[in-house]
Amino acid sequence: MTGERQIMFQTTDGWRIVGMLYVPERVTPVAGVVLVHGSKHEADAYGQLTSSGLPHSLSKYHIAVLRIDLRGRGASREPQVFDSLAPEEKKRVTLDIEAAIEFLACQQGVDAERLAIVAEQDNAHAAALASARDRRLIAYVFISGRLGESAKKVMQNVRAPVFCLVSKEDRLGLRDMTELYLASRNSKSRLKVFEGLGFGTTMFSAWRFEYPDEQPLEDMIAVWLDEQLNRKAKKTSGGGCVPV
């Protein structure tokens, strides 16, 4: 297995985004996934390629993975940390996600028409706004997702399947994830409701601790994405990439 490598790219408003990219060495182009952390987390919230995290689980299915630090977080905190950003600037994380999708689509060895996005908590809203009109995105995973009305509206027109995971004590997330699932027009969409696991990617470790003999949530997500991206996905006419 080849390892992750650090990458950098710029958004349309000039912010430098830093992330980690993994592209498996295959004869034919592979599907790709962008991992979007919540506003209180950083790229490592999903784990790393070499550990028991989502990148490692996806690598078992030969899926390229791009995990980024959104503006103001982690390695992308220059020139200003996230907590000090004005509210309007915080909303521009959609530009980070748009640029990440474009960056991944342009990588050699990645099939630009078989992309997916995984997003957690409040940045599920930004991920939806950034990707819902991009026909190259053919699968969505939201973990404890919080969606505003504008995100719910654009997702109503998405034909791609969605996989929603939430713990029922997260009432806001449960409401939004249930609404999104019920509004989906794709028979491959799924909703998994848990209990006592908390919020976002912390659900991964909580599940592993409580149910060590059960399939990890990361593997559950990876299996579903494999089905959508590799085995059963139909190519769209979304086009290629525009170098960032």
Side-chain angles (χ1 to χ4, degrees):
M1 178 190 300
T2 57
E4 290 180 307
R5 62 181 177 90
Q6 187 179 69
I7 55 86
M8 300 179 192
F9 55 84
Q10 279 198 327
T11 64
T12 54
D13 66 344
W15 200 290
R16 188 193 69 163
I17 299 299
V18 180
M20 299 297 293
L21 173 68
Y22 163 71
V23 180
E25 294 181 353
R26 305 288 287 176
V27 175
T28 57
V30 300
V33 176
V34 176
L35 304 182
V36 179
H37 62 78
S39 64
K40 300 298 184 183
H41 292 164
E42 297 178 357
D44 283 347
Y46 288 100
Q48 301 178 4
L49 185 68
T50 56
S51 62
S52 58
L54 186 54
H56 178 75
S57 295
L58 292 170
S59 73
K60 292 186 288 187
Y61 296 97
H62 310 295
I63 296 174
V65 183
L66 174 61
R67 56 186 182 92
I68 60 171
D69 283 316
L70 296 169
R71 63 181 62 201
R73 289 293 182 191
S76 303
R77 61 183 175 274
E78 298 296 338
Q80 198 172 353
V81 297
F82 185 82
D83 290 342
S84 68
L85 296 177
E88 287 303 311
E89 181 68 35
K90 290 180 179 179
K91 292 180 181 179
R92 292 180 183 173
V93 297
T94 55
L95 301 181
D96 307 352
I97 302 167
E98 289 174 359
I101 294 169
E102 204 63 58
F103 182 87
L104 182 58
C106 288
Q107 297 306 300
Q108 185 175 3
V110 174
D111 184 347
E113 294 185 345
R114 287 192 294 140
L115 303 180
I117 197 160
V118 178
E120 65 157 344
Q121 295 186 275
D122 53 345
N123 278 337
H125 175 86
L129 293 180
S131 62
R133 294 186 176 91
D134 192 332
R135 295 172 67 184
R136 296 170 299 183
L137 273 291
I138 62 173
Y140 295 81
V141 178
F142 294 121
I143 305 165
S144 303
R146 307 294 179 86
L147 301 175
E149 291 305 314
S150 56
K152 291 177 183 178
K153 184 175 181 180
V154 296
M155 288 299 295
Q156 288 176 357
N157 298 317
V158 169
R159 296 184 178 181
V162 297
F163 186 10
C164 303
L165 300 93
V166 66
S167 196
K168 71 179 187 180
E169 67 272 11
D170 175 12
R171 292 180 177 272
L172 293 179
L174 178 60
R175 178 199 64 191
D176 291 349
M177 293 295 88
T178 302
E179 288 181 8
L180 179 61
Y181 168 72
L182 293 175
S184 174
R185 295 177 287 174
N186 194 299
S187 63
K188 304 301 182 183
S189 292
R190 297 289 182 267
L191 171 66
K192 294 287 290 185
V193 180
F194 304 93
E195 182 175 5
L197 296 189
F199 302 81
T201 54
T202 58
M203 293 170 60
F204 296 167
S205 56
W207 175 266
R208 196 178 298 112
F209 178 79
E210 294 289 341
Y211 306 100
D213 297 326
E214 298 292 331
Q215 182 187 42
L217 298 190
E218 298 98 320
D219 287 354
M220 189 182 301
I221 292 170
V223 168
W224 185 84
L225 283 172
D226 174 52
E227 292 174 350
Q228 313 315 314
L229 298 175
N230 291 336
R231 288 187 276 168
K232 300 179 181 179
K234 295 180 179 180
K235 285 194 174 185
T236 68
S237 56
C241 71
V242 178
V244 293

